[in-house]
Every structure is written in C-alpha cells, then in structure tokens.
Amino acid sequence: MVLLNHLELPILSLAINAVLAKIADADIASTVPTIIAPFLVPASKLKLEGGYLTTNSSKLPIYGIQVGPETDVSRAIAAKTQKPPPSLQIHYEPLACFLQLARAANLPTFIVVGQRSQGPFNPASSDDIETLYKIGELIASTTGTYFQREQTKTNWIPTTKLASDAEAWRAFYG
C-alpha cells in the first residue's frame, strides 16, 4: 500500500512513475499484481452532461475504471462499482497523471473514483467520510483484507507545503 497524499505535479508524476516501475520490475513468479488506486475527486472536478455532479443525492456513486489487462480482482471490483457514464468528465490532474502512467506501464489496474464534496484542505463532511468508508469496505471485501470502520481515523489536515515547485523539485532529488 502506498499513500501519496497532497503531492502536486511534477513531483506526483515522478513518485507514481517510480512506484509503477518498481511493481513492473518485481520478480513475481506466477501472479501479476492488480493495482487498486482509489481517488477522492472534488465534486467541482466531476462534470456530467455540461453540469456538475451534485452531492444532494443520498447515495453518492463509486465509479470504477479498468486500465490494462483484466484480472479476477478487477472483475470483482467492477461488479461492485458503477461504470462511469460516457458523458462523465473528470478534470483532476492527479487522476489524469496516474491514468497516463498506468496505461504506459500496461499493468492490471483498477481505479476507484469517489466524489469529495470539500476541497482537499477543508474539513471533511459526513458525505466525504461515508465515501471513504464505502471505498475502504469495497476494497477490503474484494481483496480479502481487513477494514474496520469504527477504527478508521480521517485526517484532512494538510502537510507542510514547500514555497515553490522549484524547491519541491530540489527537495525530491536531494
């Protein structure tokens, strides 16, 4: 499990590329790992037929996007998620970056997209936390891992940001 929290381009693309390259280079005898990538996308970045998706619905959808070869795990998750409607447009740079690099690596990848009502540095709403729970339970039930809702802590406090992209670039390379 890798958590890339609050990284921005170009650092994000370097980190994703390094992780995918490490997975692709791993000496795995007979099984090909399926990468499951959950993304919480701000509602303002999801557009459906010219308008924005709303958070008024009592049941926010969890969308699933298959990338690369299909596996048993990806089929199981696809059965429990909604396929995005053809008119859905996602304008979220971290997801676009990951999608391009996953396609280039041609690794079995399944992207789970949940809607976030708040910005990344605002306090989480109950809908945001509910979406996190739904994604956690979905992944746990499909992969045979353990997820306990009562002990999940959600912390939306931002990490310290560097003053500029140039400083972030230098910090990444040392």
Side-chain angles (χ1 to χ4, degrees), residues 97-131:
C97 174
F98 181 82
L99 187 58
Q100 292 299 323
L101 292 170
R103 283 184 177 148
N106 197 32
L107 292 169
T109 304
F110 199 86
I111 300 171
V112 180
V113 179
Q115 181 177 333
R116 184 176 67 219
S117 61
Q118 301 291 329
F121 304 117
N122 294 337
S125 73
S126 61
D127 285 342
D128 296 343
I129 293 170
E130 191 62 34
T131 301

Side-chain angles (χ1 to χ4, degrees), residues 8-161:
E8 294 187 20
L9 296 173
I11 304 299
L12 178 64
S13 62
L14 292 170
I16 291 171
N17 193 42
V19 169
L20 292 176
K22 191 75 166 170
I23 292 169
D25 292 342
D27 184 23
I28 302 168
S30 63
T31 61
V32 177
T34 301
I35 299 168
I36 303 170
F39 281 87
L40 288 177
V41 178
S44 63
K45 304 290 184 181
L46 297 170
K47 294 183 182 179
L48 187 60
E49 296 176 12
Y52 294 103
L53 287 176
T54 62
T55 57
N56 298 339
S57 158
S58 62
K59 185 173 179 168
L60 295 174
I62 302 290
Y63 294 113
I65 303 166
Q66 172 68 45
V67 181
E70 192 176 69
T71 64
D72 291 339
V73 172
S74 64
R75 278 190 291 277
I77 295 176
K80 296 178 181 181
T81 59
Q82 292 183 25
K83 186 173 183 175
S87 61
L88 179 67
Q89 298 176 7
I90 302 173
H91 300 278
Y92 189 57
E93 271 189 302
L95 177 54
C97 174
F98 181 82
L99 187 58
Q100 292 299 323
L101 292 170
R103 283 184 177 148
N106 197 32
L107 292 169
T109 304
F110 199 86
I111 300 171
V112 180
V113 179
Q115 181 177 333
R116 184 176 67 219
S117 61
Q118 301 291 329
F121 304 117
N122 294 337
S125 73
S126 61
D127 285 342
D128 296 343
I129 293 170
E130 191 62 34
T131 301
L132 281 173
Y133 290 152
K134 283 171 52 177
I135 290 172
E137 290 168 353
L138 167 75
I139 293 171
S141 69
T142 307
T143 60
T145 56
Y146 178 72
F147 177 83
Q148 188 172 0
R149 180 180 180 135
E150 292 77 28
Q151 292 184 354
T152 304
K153 293 182 181 178
T154 307
N155 185 359
W156 292 87
I157 299 171
T159 57
T160 306
K161 290 189 147 219

